Amino acid sequence: MSPPVPHLPDLRPTIAALPGSQIRAVANAALGRPDVLAFWFGESDQVTPEPVRAAAAESLARGETFYSHNLGLPELRQALRQYLAGLHGDPGDERIAVTSSGVTALMTAMQLLLSPGDEVVCVVPVWPNLPAQPAILGARLTRVPLAPDAHGAWRLDLQRLLQAVTPATRVLLLNAPNNPTGWTLTRDEQQAILDHCRRTGTWIVADEVYDRLWYGDGPAPAAGGARPASPACAPSFADLATPQDRVIVVGSFSKAFLMTGWRLGWLLLPAGLIGPTGTLIEFNSSCAPVFVQRGGLQALALADTLVPPLVAHLHHCRDTLCDALATVPGVHLARPQAGMYAFFSMPGSGDSLACAQALVAEHGLGLAPGAAFGAEAQGWLRWCFASRDPQRLLDGVERLRGALRI
Amino acid sequence: MSPPVPHLPDLRPTIAALPGSQIRAVANAALGRPDVLAFWFGESDQVTPEPVRAAAAESLARGETFYSHNLGLPELRQALRQYLAGLHGDPGDERIAVTSSGVTALMTAMQLLLSPGDEVVCVVPVWPNLPAQPAILGARLTRVPLAPDAHGAWRLDLQRLLQAVTPATRVLLLNAPNNPTGWTLTRDEQQAILDHCRRTGTWIVADEVYDRLWYGDGPAPAAGGARPASPACAPSFADLATPQDRVIVVGSFSKAFLMTGWRLGWLLLPAGLIGPTGTLIEFNSSCAPVFVQRGGLQALALADTLVPPLVAHLHHCRDTLCDALATVPGVHLARPQAGMYAFFSMPGSGDSLACAQALVAEHGLGLAPGAAFGAEAQGWLRWCFASRDPQRLLDGVERLRGALRI
C-alpha cells in the first residue's frame, strides 16, 4: 500500500503565520539590477575596519578552530565589562554573556523568560524580529504604539504604556533607540518604566544595539552619581538597573563597529542568570567562533578610535539626507536623535510596500516599507543613511524627486 | 516606597530545570591542570585544514563582512546539494538551508514543527542538546531507550520504538550514528521507521552529523537504484525519503571537516519548507558569517581529499583505543561502527559522574560520564578517540589501568 503523502508540509500554524520580510519582498524586485541605489537594509556599506579583520585572520592562522566556552572567551567578557563600565558604570562580575549576534541574544533572553501563554508588551513599530520571537515561543503579544507628532517625530504615550504593563505582564520589550523610527527613551521615561516594572514584577528586555549611534546630548548622570564621564551614548537601562533588577540589556558589535556580518552580540544579565544562560547557549548554538570573538576583542580595544569618527560620519550622513529630504515638497520627517534611519512619509506612500516596490522598479531607489515594522508604520518609508559616500544619499534624493515628478 | 526586589531571578521553571552539563562538571575539575589527558569533548584535537582557514581569511581580506542571505550563500547551498547528491542522490531544488551550526539547525527544525504540548519521541541515551530543545519549546518528551547487549553494543528494540510512535507523536528525534553509544540505524530499520511514520503522520528529525565517520560497510543502495556509487557513509534517511516525506536531516561541518569551532551546519528539508525556514533563521540568528561560509565552501571543494584520510585516521584511532581497552580487565565495550567515541563500563563506574570526577582528579584522565547523556547510560563512560596522536590514547589507557590498580 502506498502511504499517504502530504502535498504541503504541515509545519506549525504559528510558524506558517509568521510574516515574511517585506524588505526582502522589495529587494527581490532589484535582483540583477546593479543600477539600484539600495538603502533598505540596516547596515552601513563600509567594510569592517582592517585591524578587526586582521585579528580574526590571525586567530585562524594560529589554529583557533575549536569549541570554546558557551558564555564567550573570558578575555572578551572582561573586555565587554570594561567597555560597558566606561559607558554605564561597572556592571560587576558574571553578568555578561557573548552571543552569536544581537538577535540571538534577544532570543536567548526570550527563552530564559517566556513560557507558552505568557504576556509580552512591546512598543511598536519595531523591527520585525522582536515581536516574532515571543510568537515562536508561544507567548502572547500586546502592541503599544508610538505615534508621530505633527513634525513627524514618533512619540511614546508613557501613561498608555504603563497602563498596559500589569502584574500579568511577564516581559516588556523595548527597542530604543528604535528601528525604524529613531525614537529614543529619555532618562526620566526609563526611570518611570523601571519603577513601574519593579512594582508589577515585569522583566524589561531592552534592545539597545543602536546605543552608540546617538546624536543627542549626553544623558544626565544616573542617580547616585556613580556613572563616569562617558563617551556619547543614548540613555540606557544599564545606567539605572541594579544587578538585582529584572532587566536584560542586549548589545551588538554590528552597528557601532561595522560588524553586521560577524554575528556577534552580548547580553547584560541580572546577577544569578549567567548559569542558565550558558546552558541555553549550549542548547541553541553552543558558542561563538573564537576567531570571530578575536575580532570583537580587537574592536573593543580600538573602540575609542573607531566609534567616535564613525558616529561623526553618520551624524553628517543624517544631516545630509535629512536636509535634502526637507527640501522635497510633501516629504514629512523629523531628524532622528539616534540610529541610522530616516523615517518619513510622502504623497503616494500610503501603501508603503507598493510604494517601495514602485520606487525600486521604476526609479532604482531602494527603501524599506514602513509596514515591514508593523501596521502602525503603514504609510512610512525607512531610509538607511549609513553610507560611506554621502553623495549616494543625495543621488537617492534626486531619484525620489523624479518619482514625485518634482 | 522602596520597591520589592527579588533575591533570585525568576526565570522560567522549564529553564531552571534544564540540567547543567555533567561534562563541564568534570572538566571544571581540571581547570589549570595541563597534565590532564582530556578526552571528554566531542571534537578532534586537530586544527581545521589550512586551505579552509585560508579561504575564510581571504574572504575577510576581501571585505566580506556584511549581512548575507538567511538561507546561506547560493554557491554554498549549491555545493551542499552536489555534496549530498554524491552521498545520497540529488535532493533537488530548494531543499537546503545553511545554519550557524548543527545544533542551530536542530533548534530551527524544532521551532518549525513543535508547538507547546506536542509529543516528541527520542531514542536515548543521546547528547543532551537533543532532548533539551523540545523542553525549551514546551513540548513533551518520551524517551525510548537503547540497551547494551551482552557484548556492550547498544541496540534498538525496533518494535518498542514503533509502538511508542503513534498518530499523537509529532516528532521522532533520532541521532544515528549516535553520540555517545556509536549505535547506528540499519537501512532496514530506517525503512521500517519511515514506513511507520508515514502511517502515523509523524515527522522524523534525523541528526546525522556523524554520517561520514563510518567504519562499517557501505550501505545498500536505496530502493529504485538512483543512488550513485558513493563515498563511505552511514545509512541515512536522505537515501530513503522523498521530497514530500516529513523528514528533516541535519548535517554539520564540525566532525567530518574538523570545523567544530566554526559553527556551520545545514538542514535538508522537504519541498515547501524552505521559505519558513529562512524566516526562522532571520528571527534567530539572521545568517551565518560569509567568511565562515567561504571556509565551508572550500571544505566541500576538498571533501574527497580531506574526509577519507581523516576517517582512515579515526578508524585507526578507534582500533588503537578499543584494542587497548579490551586488554583492561573489567572493561566492557563493543567497537563502535561509527562516530568518534568509545563507550564502556568498568568496575567503579556505577556512578559515572563521581567516577569521571575521580579519574580526572586522581589520575589526570578526562572522560565524559555516561549520565550526561541520560539515566539510561548511568554506569558508562564516553571516551573521544579523535586524537591527532594515537599515543595519547594509549597513555590514557595506562592511566585507566592505574586507576583500576592493574
Side-chain angles (χ1 to χ4, degrees):
Chain A
M1 188 188 76
S2 180
V5 172
H7 290 290
L8 282 175
D10 52 342
L11 74 170
R12 289 170 65 193
T14 299
I15 303 303
L18 286 175
S21 168
Q22 292 194 31
I23 303 179
R24 297 268 176 193
V26 177
N28 286 345
L31 283 176
R33 283 191 51 189
D35 61 307
V36 169
L37 288 174
F39 305 103
W40 39 47
F41 292 133
E43 70 181 341
S44 171
D45 58 352
Q46 289 193 70
V47 168
T48 306
E50 193 279 334
V52 174
R53 291 181 285 138
E58 287 156 17
S59 170
L60 281 163
R62 280 196 302 275
E64 294 187 326
T65 58
F66 300 101
Y67 289 128
S68 65
H69 197 290
N70 300 134
L71 292 166
L73 292 172
E75 51 268 50
L76 180 55
R77 296 174 66 205
Q78 179 61 29
L80 278 167
R81 177 176 170 181
Q82 288 172 353
Y83 172 75
L84 295 177
L87 295 173
H88 312 295
D90 185 6
D93 255 349
E94 290 296 311
R95 296 191 53 203
I96 294 165
V98 174
T99 59
S100 301
S101 77
V103 64
T104 298
L106 286 162
M107 185 51 122
T108 305
M110 307 285 181
Q111 290 185 9
L112 276 169
L113 302 177
L114 291 179
S115 298
D118 276 351
E119 182 192 281
V120 176
V121 170
C122 184
V123 173
V124 293
V126 74
W127 68 304
N129 299 39
L130 269 200
Q133 291 181 339
I136 292 168
L137 296 172
R140 293 173 298 119
L141 196 79
T142 300
R143 300 170 74 95
V144 173
L146 303 168
D149 66 15
H151 306 287
W154 289 69
R155 304 286 182 191
L156 173 68
D157 181 339
L158 181 63
Q159 287 313 311
R160 183 170 172 179
L161 175 63
L162 298 185
Q163 281 163 17
V165 175
T166 74
T169 308
R170 176 70 169 161
V171 168
L172 170 59
L173 202 42
L174 292 164
N175 167 227
N178 174 259
N179 171 11
T181 65
W183 162 74
T184 307
L185 280 165
T186 67
R187 164 78 66 239
D188 286 347
E189 287 171 331
Q190 288 182 329
Q191 188 66 60
I193 291 168
L194 179 59
D195 290 345
H196 181 81
C197 288
R198 282 172 173 164
R199 284 187 292 267
T200 59
T202 299
W203 284 84
I204 296 170
V205 175
D207 169 2
E208 298 187 353
V209 304
Y210 293 97
D211 60 342
R212 299 302 303 276
L213 310 192
W214 169 247
Y215 319 114
D217 301 325
R227 193 159 163 282
S230 74
C233 174
S236 167
F237 281 99
D239 299 323
L240 302 178
T242 73
Q244 282 71 46
D245 274 312
R246 294 183 181 91
V247 173
I248 296 179
V249 179
V250 166
S252 166
F253 287 87
S254 287
K255 314 296 180 182
F257 297 96
L258 299 168
M259 292 175 69
T260 45
W262 293 65
R263 319 313 301 129
L264 194 62
W266 66 83
L267 287 156
L268 177 63
L269 298 151
L273 271 193
I274 202 77
T277 300
T279 301
L280 275 182
I281 292 172
E282 167 65 25
F283 293 153
N284 277 271
S285 59
S286 296
C287 56
V290 173
F291 51 86
V292 166
Q293 295 187 66
R294 295 285 180 211
L297 255 175
Q298 182 67 291
L300 291 179
L302 299 175
D304 291 343
T305 317
L306 297 177
V307 179
L310 174 65
V311 175
H313 176 72
L314 292 175
H315 199 146
H316 174 61
C317 287
R318 180 198 72 161
D319 290 344
T320 300
L321 177 62
C322 292
D323 288 348
L325 284 174
T327 68
V328 181
V331 165
H332 189 60
L333 93 160
R335 205 168 292 247
Q337 242 188 340
M340 55 193 202
Y341 309 106
F343 200 59
F344 66 100
S345 62
M346 65 176 199
S349 66
D351 179 339
S352 59
L353 177 58
C355 178
Q357 285 174 320
L359 284 173
V360 67
E362 296 165 25
H363 303 277
L365 177 62
L367 304 181
F373 308 93
E376 304 82 4
Q378 179 58 289
W380 294 67
L381 296 164
R382 189 190 77 170
W383 186 318
C384 176
F385 55 70
S387 184
R388 191 179 49 77
D389 176 9
Q391 182 60 43
R392 276 184 76 239
L393 302 169
L394 297 175
D395 294 346
V397 174
E398 279 314 298
R399 295 191 182 190
L400 192 72
R401 284 180 176 276
L404 291 169
R405 310 274 192 278
I406 295 162
Chain B
M1 186 186 79
S2 181
V5 171
H7 290 292
L8 282 175
D10 53 344
L11 75 169
R12 289 170 65 193
T14 299
I15 303 303
L18 287 175
S21 168
Q22 292 194 32
I23 302 178
R24 296 271 176 190
V26 178
N28 286 345
L31 283 177
R33 283 191 51 190
D35 62 306
V36 169
L37 289 174
F39 305 103
W40 38 48
F41 292 133
E43 70 181 342
S44 169
D45 58 352
Q46 289 192 71
V47 168
T48 306
E50 194 279 333
V52 174
R53 290 181 284 138
E58 286 157 18
S59 170
L60 281 162
R62 280 197 302 275
E64 294 187 327
T65 59
F66 300 101
Y67 288 128
S68 65
H69 198 291
N70 300 134
L71 293 166
L73 293 172
E75 51 266 51
L76 180 56
R77 295 174 66 204
Q78 180 60 29
L80 279 167
R81 177 176 170 180
Q82 288 172 353
Y83 172 75
L84 295 176
L87 295 172
H88 312 296
D90 185 7
D93 255 349
E94 291 295 312
R95 295 191 54 204
I96 294 165
V98 174
T99 59
S100 301
S101 77
V103 66
T104 298
L106 286 161
M107 184 51 120
T108 305
M110 308 285 182
Q111 290 185 8
L112 277 168
L113 303 176
L114 291 179
S115 300
D118 276 352
E119 182 191 279
V120 176
V121 170
C122 184
V123 172
V124 293
V126 74
W127 67 304
N129 299 38
L130 269 200
Q133 291 182 340
I136 291 169
L137 296 173
R140 293 172 297 118
L141 196 80
T142 301
R143 301 171 73 94
V144 173
L146 303 167
D149 67 14
H151 307 286
W154 289 69
R155 304 287 182 189
L156 173 68
D157 182 338
L158 180 63
Q159 288 314 310
R160 182 169 173 180
L161 174 63
L162 298 185
Q163 283 163 16
V165 174
T166 74
T169 308
R170 176 70 171 162
V171 168
L172 170 59
L173 202 42
L174 291 164
N175 168 229
N178 174 260
N179 170 11
T181 66
W183 162 75
T184 306
L185 281 166
T186 66
R187 163 78 68 238
D188 287 347
E189 287 170 330
Q190 288 181 330
Q191 188 66 59
I193 290 168
L194 178 60
D195 290 344
H196 182 81
C197 288
R198 282 172 173 166
R199 285 188 292 267
T200 59
T202 299
W203 284 84
I204 296 171
V205 175
D207 170 4
E208 298 187 354
V209 304
Y210 294 97
D211 59 343
R212 300 302 304 274
L213 310 192
W214 170 248
Y215 318 113
D217 300 324
R227 194 158 161 282
S230 74
C233 174
S236 168
F237 280 99
D239 298 325
L240 302 177
T242 73
Q244 282 72 45
D245 274 312
R246 294 184 181 89
V247 173
I248 296 178
V249 179
V250 167
S252 167
F253 287 87
S254 287
K255 313 297 180 182
F257 297 96
L258 300 168
M259 292 176 69
T260 45
W262 293 64
R263 319 313 301 128
L264 194 62
W266 67 82
L267 288 156
L268 177 63
L269 298 151
L273 271 193
I274 202 78
T277 300
T279 302
L280 274 182
I281 291 173
E282 167 65 25
F283 293 153
N284 278 270
S285 59
S286 297
C287 57
V290 172
F291 51 87
V292 166
Q293 296 188 66
R294 295 285 180 211
L297 256 175
Q298 182 68 293
L300 291 179
L302 299 176
D304 290 344
T305 317
L306 297 177
V307 179
L310 173 66
V311 175
H313 175 72
L314 292 175
H315 200 146
H316 174 60
C317 287
R318 180 198 71 162
D319 290 345
T320 300
L321 177 62
C322 290
D323 288 349
L325 284 174
T327 68
V328 181
V331 165
H332 189 59
L333 94 159
R335 204 169 293 245
Q337 241 188 339
M340 55 193 202
Y341 309 107
F343 201 58
F344 65 100
S345 63
M346 65 176 200
S349 66
D351 178 339
S352 59
L353 177 58
C355 177
Q357 285 174 320
L359 284 172
V360 67
E362 295 165 26
H363 304 278
L365 177 62
L367 304 181
F373 307 94
E376 305 82 3
Q378 179 58 289
W380 293 67
L381 296 163
R382 189 191 76 170
W383 186 318
C384 176
F385 55 70
S387 184
R388 191 179 50 77
D389 177 10
Q391 182 61 42
R392 275 184 76 240
L393 301 168
L394 297 175
D395 294 346
V397 174
E398 279 314 297
R399 295 191 184 189
L400 192 73
R401 286 180 176 275
L404 291 169
R405 310 275 191 277
I406 295 161

